[in-house]
C-alpha cells in the first residue's frame, strides 16, 4: 500500500503544479506583462494583480498604454486606470491623443478624458478638426414680403472646436440657427425674385450672425444648395380672410333676418291683442245700452234710431263689398 502511494505521489504533485500554474496565468496576465516589457513599457506584475483586485481589465489599460508609449505620448497607468474606472473608453482617448499629436492640435489627456466622459466621440472630434464635416439641412421654408413661399436647402461646413466640446451645443442647434437665419433673410426680401436672383445673400446674412457661438463647432461656410418656390401664401391668406368675412356677413344677415321675423311676430301678437280689446269693448256696448234704458237716459225711440243707423251702416258695407268684388272680376 505505501508503495502504491509513493508511485502516485509524483503524478498528484504534477497535477497540483499544473493547476496552480493555470490559476496563476488566469489571474495574473503574464503574457500581457511580457508584451509590455517587450514594448519597453515598465509595468510591475503586482500592478497587474492590483488591477485584477480593483476589477479593472488589464488589457483595456496596458494595450492603450503600449500604443501611447510607441507614439511618444506621456501618459501613466494611473491616468488610464482612473479613466477606465470612471466609465471612459481608454482606447478611444489614446487614439484621439495620437491623432491630435499627428495633426499638431494641442490636446491634453485631462481635456480628452473630459470630452470622452461627457459622452462625445473625442476621436471623431479630432478627425473633424482635421477634416471638416458637411451638414445638410432639410428644405427650410420662408415667406417673402410679396406672400410667396420660398424653400431653401443649405450645406453647412463645420469644424470641431476642441475647446468647446464640453458644454457646447451640437449639430441640431447649428441646423436650427441656420434655419432661423434663412427664414429671416427670406422674410426680409421684398419679392421672392430677389432670393432667386441672389441666393448667396442668404449665406452671407446667416454667416454674419455668428451662429456658432456657444456650440461645439466652428462654421466655415454656408452654401445654398437648392432654392424652390412653394405656395402663394399671401393669396391663400387673402382667400381665407375673404371667406371668413363672407361667413361673418352671412351670420350678421341671418341675425338681422331673425330679428325682423321676431319683430313681425311681435307686431302680429300686438294686432291680435288690440283686436281682442276691440271685441271686449264691443261686448260692453249692449250692456251699456241696457243700463241706459233702465236708468232712463235713453228712450225707446232713441234705441230704434240707433238700430236703424246700425242696419243702414251694415247695408252700406255690404253694397261696398259687392262693388269691390265686381271691379275685381272686371279686371
Amino acid at each position: 500500500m505505501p508503495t502504491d502511494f509513493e508511485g502516485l505521489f509524483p503524478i498528484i504533485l504534477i497535477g497540483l503544479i499544473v493547476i496552480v500554474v493555470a490559476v496563476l496565468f488566469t489571474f495574473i496576465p503574464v503574457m500581457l506583462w511580457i508584451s509590455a516589457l517587450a514594448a519597453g513599457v515598465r509595468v510591475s506584475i503586482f500592478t497587474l494583480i492590483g488591477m485584477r483586485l480593483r476589477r479593472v481589465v488589464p488589457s483595456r489599460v496596458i494595450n492603450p498604454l503600449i500604443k501611447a508609449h510607441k507614439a511618444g505620448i506621456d501618459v501613466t497607468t494611473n491616468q488610464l486606470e482612473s479613466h477606465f474606472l470612471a466609465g471612459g473608453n481608454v482606447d478611444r482617448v489614446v487614439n484621439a491623443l495620437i491623432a491630435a499629436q499627428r495633426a499638431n492640435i494641442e490636446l491634453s489627456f485631462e481635456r480628452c478624458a473630459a470630452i470622452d466622459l461627457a459622452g462625445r466621440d473625442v476621436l471623431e472630434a479630432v478627425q473633424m478638426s482635421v477634416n471638416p464635416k458637411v451638414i445638410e439641412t432639410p428644405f427650410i421654408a420662408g415667406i417673402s414680403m410679396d406672400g410667396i413661399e420660398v424653400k431653401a436647402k443649405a450645406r453647412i461646413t463645420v469644424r470641431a472646436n476642441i475647446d468647446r466640446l464640453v458644454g457646447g451645443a451640437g449639430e441640431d442647434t447649428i441646423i436650427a440657427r441656420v434655419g432661423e437665419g434663412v427664414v429671416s433673410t427670406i422674410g426680409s426680401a421684398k419679392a421672392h425674385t430677389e432670393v432667386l436672383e441672389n441666393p448667396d445673400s442668404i449665406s452671407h446674412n446667416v454667416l454674419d450672425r455668428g451662429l456658432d457661438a456657444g456650440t461645439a463647432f466652428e462654421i466655415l461656410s454656408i452654401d445654398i444648395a437648392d432654392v424652390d418656390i412653394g405656395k402663394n401664401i399671401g393669396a391663400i391668406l387673402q382667400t381665407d380672410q375673404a371667406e371668413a368675412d363672407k361667413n361673418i356677413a352671412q351670420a350678421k344677415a341671418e341675425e338681422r333676418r331673425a330679428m325682423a321675423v321676431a319683430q313681425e311676430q311681435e307686431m302680429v301678437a300686438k294686432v291680435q291683442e288690440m283686436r281682442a280689446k276691440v271685441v271686449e269693448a264691443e261686448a260692453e256696448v249692449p250692456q251699456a245700452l241696457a243700463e241706459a234704458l233702465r236708468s232712463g237716459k235713453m228712450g225707446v225711440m232713441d234705441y230704434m234710431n240707433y238700430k236703424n243707423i246700425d242696419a243702414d251702416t251694415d247695408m252700406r258695407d255690404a253694397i261696398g263689398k259687392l262693388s269691390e268684388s265686381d271691379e275685381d272680376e272686371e279686371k
Side-chain angles (χ1 to χ4, degrees), residues 223-245:
D223 304 307
I224 302 302
D226 190 11
V227 179
D228 194 9
I229 299 297
K231 300 178 181 178
N232 190 339
I233 302 299
I236 294 175
L237 292 177
Q238 290 178 359
T239 303
D240 293 341
Q241 184 63 43
E243 184 68 21
D245 293 341

Side-chain angles (χ1 to χ4, degrees), residues 38-52:
V41 178
R42 294 186 176 276
V43 180
S44 173
I45 191 69
F46 297 103
T47 303
L48 299 178
I49 296 174
M51 290 182 185
R52 288 289 193 186

Side-chain angles (χ1 to χ4, degrees), residues 134-149:
V134 177
I135 303 174
E136 185 169 329
T137 66
F139 270 109
I140 302 170
I143 302 174
S144 58
M145 290 185 181
D146 58 355
I148 304 299
E149 182 185 30

Side-chain angles (χ1 to χ4, degrees), residues 80-312:
L80 299 180
E81 187 177 351
S82 62
H83 186 65
F84 178 85
L85 291 173
N89 191 322
V90 179
D91 191 62
R92 186 164 55 191
V93 169
V94 171
N95 290 337
L97 290 173
I98 295 173
Q101 184 191 47
R102 296 293 186 270
N104 292 325
I105 298 175
E106 185 177 353
L107 181 63
S108 63
F109 176 81
E110 287 74 14
R111 177 171 293 276
C112 191
I115 294 172
D116 184 63
L117 292 177
R120 295 187 181 274
D121 192 338
V122 63
L123 179 58
E124 182 183 355
V126 174
Q127 292 173 348
M128 195 184 300
S129 297
V130 178
N131 184 20
K133 179 180 180 181
V134 177
I135 303 174
E136 185 169 329
T137 66
F139 270 109
I140 302 170
I143 302 174
S144 58
M145 290 185 181
D146 58 355
I148 304 299
E149 182 185 30
V150 180
K151 300 178 181 179
K153 179 185 290 186
R155 287 193 177 97
I156 313 164
T157 304
V158 296
R159 180 172 58 195
N161 192 328
I162 301 296
D163 295 332
R164 293 203 301 255
L165 276 177
V166 178
E171 295 183 10
D172 294 338
T173 303
I174 293 289
I175 295 174
R177 290 182 180 179
V178 171
E180 180 183 352
V182 171
V183 172
S184 177
T185 304
I186 295 175
S188 61
K190 294 183 179 179
H192 67 284
T193 54
E194 295 182 3
V195 181
L196 296 178
E197 292 173 359
N198 299 307
D200 56 340
S201 61
I202 299 177
S203 58
H204 292 322
N205 188 20
V206 174
L207 276 175
D208 293 340
R209 293 171 177 263
L211 302 180
D212 54 1
T215 65
F217 303 98
E218 178 185 354
I219 297 179
L220 300 179
S221 67
I222 298 176
D223 304 307
I224 302 302
D226 190 11
V227 179
D228 194 9
I229 299 297
K231 300 178 181 178
N232 190 339
I233 302 299
I236 294 175
L237 292 177
Q238 290 178 359
T239 303
D240 293 341
Q241 184 63 43
E243 184 68 21
D245 293 341
K246 185 190 76 171
N247 293 335
I248 293 174
Q250 288 179 348
K252 290 183 177 180
E254 182 65 23
E255 182 181 358
R256 290 194 296 270
R257 189 193 68 81
M259 291 178 63
V261 171
Q263 187 175 6
E264 180 183 1
Q265 295 297 325
E266 185 178 356
M267 296 304 295
V268 171
K270 287 184 178 180
V271 170
Q272 295 295 333
E273 183 181 358
M274 297 303 295
R275 286 180 179 176
K277 289 182 179 180
V278 170
V279 172
E280 183 180 359
E282 289 177 351
E284 293 180 356
V285 172
Q287 297 179 0
L289 290 175
E291 182 63 25
L293 288 174
R294 282 196 298 269
S295 61
K297 295 180 180 180
M298 183 178 179
V300 176
M301 294 304 297
D302 295 331
Y303 178 72
M304 295 303 295
N305 289 332
Y306 164 75
K307 295 296 289 181
N308 289 331
I309 293 172
D310 189 21
D312 185 59

Side-chain angles (χ1 to χ4, degrees), residues 6-66:
E6 290 176 357
L8 293 175
F9 180 75
I11 299 175
I12 296 173
L13 183 61
I14 293 172
L16 291 175
I17 292 173
V18 171
I19 293 174
V20 170
V21 171
V23 172
L24 183 64
F25 275 81
T26 302
F27 187 75
I28 302 174
V30 179
M31 296 303 298
L32 187 63
W33 176 66
I34 295 172
S35 298
L37 291 180
V41 178
R42 294 186 176 276
V43 180
S44 173
I45 191 69
F46 297 103
T47 303
L48 299 178
I49 296 174
M51 290 182 185
R52 288 289 193 186
L53 296 176
R54 289 187 292 271
R55 295 184 179 180
V56 175
V57 180
S59 61
R60 298 285 184 87
V61 176
I62 301 303
N63 288 332
L65 182 63
I66 295 172

